[in-house]
Amino acid sequence: MNSTDPSATPPKADKATVRRHNLSLVLRTVHDEGEATRAGVAGKVGLTRAAVSSLVDQLLTDGFLTERGKTFSGQAGRPGTALKVARTGPAGLGVEINIDYVTVCVVDLAGTDRVRLVERMDNRGAAPAAVLAQAARIAARAMESATEQELRPVSAELALPGLVSGGAVRQAPNLGWNRVPVEGLFAQALTALRPAHRALPVSADNEANLAAMAELWFGCGGTVDRDKRVTSFIYLTGEIGIGGALVLNGQLLRGAHGFAGEIGHVVVEAGGPECRCGAHGCLEQYAGQAALLRAAGLDETAGAAGVAELELRARAGDPRTLTALADAGRHLGRVLSGAVNLVDPDAVMLGGVLRGLMPWLAAGADEELTARVVSGLWTPGNGRLRASSSSADAARGAAARVVREVLTDPAAYAERATD
């Protein structure tokens, strides 16, 4: 029988494969619980205590778990030893490259942001290789800080504002990048800065996708109160432009080619201003950072300082600023209503600069959503339109994705560490 035949019966898992799976199962259970005993893990995963104990011993030896004294379950019997994921050892490196800044963070196995470096820089029109080399220099500094904390980043994930596929940025209009092999360029620059170290694997994704996953893991989808968890939402990240991502039932919706979520390039008015993507009247020309600053009478290239001034003027009740934000909110609501009608999420999250401007955007957006969403589930102030979590951003999402890969197959990373 042809091994590529989709109807072929898959081979049976051997003992090594089963153990590899169970190592991940035990590690992920401890991670999700925050703290657990061997007996508690056995009860969760359906394995014998002896089997779990053997798996735990290997995870302790390989540095994925630590023991933290005794814990009482409230049931009869001796207290068990508390297990937690290690705060040292394997970690994830996340690098967000945006229009006017680069953020690098290192996240440990528990998902804690342990190192964070932010450098403001104008990347518009800059040579991609130069931008990626500077990002690599910041990443190298972050890795030095991680080493001081006994953390070992095992892989790097890049978060970029554009269409990302096959290790390259296919198109990033606001950066002016087209067909840039970002993974290779960044890996080369980082390796040159750290010649005595093993080359770090590098992957890349759209920054809105990674920010949305951070929201899922650390924000609305990761809250301790299970009744308040939201796992189906539209995520908007507002920077110079507007990016978007769709998370449905806890899964990122990528589309047939990986480019789903480009809501910033939905046309609001066909005869509107020309967008950097080449079309006219895109949403980001009405509600992106540059558009908001321009409408409020501020320098559209002012970046973070301009956004801070925009907020100050809004709080002070400046009429022009309030009008600009109200108009932007209505444009957001019109576009979002179409997306809500199409995919039926539980919520819409506003991230990036939109998060801080939420108090002045919400009324107009809510009004449009209420009028246009056919389900009738959207009403003003019902909490479905909300600001994203302050703990969720693209850099952290990128680093956390690396960690999630470690949790999925700890054996692979233990083998890599001993090569």
Side-chain angles (χ1 to χ4, degrees):
M1 184 178 291
N2 190 329
S3 61
T4 61
D5 183 352
S7 65
T9 302
K12 291 184 178 180
D14 57 20
K15 289 183 179 180
T17 302
V18 171
R19 185 171 182 85
R20 199 180 194 107
H21 167 78
N22 287 339
L23 282 168
S24 172
L25 187 60
V26 170
L27 180 58
R28 285 185 284 115
T29 299
V30 176
H31 173 273
D32 293 346
E33 293 296 313
E35 179 178 296
T37 62
R38 287 170 170 80
V41 171
K44 287 278 185 182
V45 303
L47 296 172
T48 66
R49 292 192 184 188
V52 167
S53 185
S54 173
L55 294 164
V56 165
D57 287 344
Q58 183 173 339
L59 290 168
L60 288 167
T61 298
D62 291 339
F64 295 104
L65 293 179
T66 59
E67 293 180 297
R68 301 279 184 174
K70 301 294 183 179
T71 184
F72 292 87
S73 65
Q75 300 176 351
R78 293 181 298 176
T81 302
L83 300 166
K84 290 188 177 184
V85 293
R87 298 298 302 277
T88 59
L93 177 69
V95 181
E96 180 185 1
I97 300 172
N98 222 303
I99 312 305
D100 53 2
Y101 66 87
V102 170
T103 298
V104 177
C105 77
V106 176
V107 167
D108 64 21
L109 287 183
T112 306
D113 201 339
R114 299 284 294 276
V115 180
R116 177 169 289 261
L117 301 176
V118 181
E119 185 167 317
R120 297 287 171 183
M121 49 194 290
D122 188 355
N123 296 321
R124 284 168 288 199
V131 175
L132 290 160
Q134 179 61 14
R137 284 190 284 272
I138 301 169
R141 295 205 310 269
M143 293 180 73
E144 290 176 4
S145 296
T147 299
E148 292 171 359
Q149 299 182 55
E150 299 182 67
L151 291 167
R152 186 182 70 257
V154 298
S155 185
E157 176 97 5
L158 306 180
L160 297 135
L163 303 181
V164 182
S165 175
V169 170
R170 298 279 294 275
Q171 183 183 24
N174 289 310
L175 281 172
W177 293 9
N178 289 285
R179 302 189 181 280
V180 178
V182 289
E183 291 180 7
L185 289 172
F186 180 85
Q188 183 179 6
L190 187 61
T191 300
L193 291 166
R194 308 175 77 250
H197 297 80
R198 179 183 303 175
L200 206 64
V202 178
S203 55
D205 201 351
N206 173 265
E207 53 92 19
N209 286 345
L210 292 166
M213 297 314 292
E215 182 66 37
L216 177 68
W217 294 328
F218 306 115
C220 67
T223 179
V224 175
D225 188 340
R226 294 179 182 272
D227 292 335
K228 293 183 179 180
R229 288 182 184 174
V230 177
T231 58
S232 293
F233 57 88
I234 298 172
Y235 186 94
L236 264 67
T237 175
E239 301 295 344
I240 300 298
I242 293 178
L246 306 174
V247 177
L248 298 178
N249 299 319
Q251 298 296 316
L252 181 68
L253 182 64
R254 289 187 170 276
H257 308 97
F259 303 144
E262 288 293 329
I263 197 168
H265 296 289
V266 171
V267 174
V268 176
E269 295 183 15
E274 184 176 4
C275 181
R276 288 179 182 271
C277 73
H280 287 262
C282 294
L283 176 61
E284 70 176 43
Q285 295 304 308
Y286 298 90
Q289 176 180 304
L292 290 172
L293 294 176
R294 183 171 59 248
L298 296 168
D299 179 3
E300 65 182 72
T301 66
V307 174
E309 177 63 23
L310 187 69
E311 288 192 40
L312 285 174
R313 292 189 182 189
R315 294 184 189 283
D318 175 64
R320 183 171 180 177
T321 299
L322 294 179
T323 297
L325 292 171
D327 288 346
R330 283 188 286 272
H331 286 302
L332 282 169
R334 287 172 197 153
V335 171
L336 284 168
S337 64
V340 169
N341 284 332
L342 188 64
V343 301
D344 187 30
D346 284 323
V348 171
M349 308 289 175
L350 300 186
V353 300
L354 300 178
R355 179 180 182 276
L357 298 172
M358 174 83 177
W360 304 281
L361 296 169
D366 256 341
E367 180 182 339
E368 293 291 334
L369 283 160
T370 298
R372 298 172 186 274
V373 173
V374 297
S375 68
L377 297 176
W378 291 71
T379 56
N382 68 354
R384 290 181 182 269
L385 179 68
R386 59 180 75 177
S388 67
S389 169
S390 60
S391 61
D393 61 42
R396 191 178 184 197
R401 176 175 285 171
V402 174
V403 166
R404 294 273 165 164
E405 292 173 356
V406 175
L407 297 175
T408 298
D409 192 0
Y413 290 90
E415 291 164 5
R416 184 189 300 175
T418 57
D419 286 345

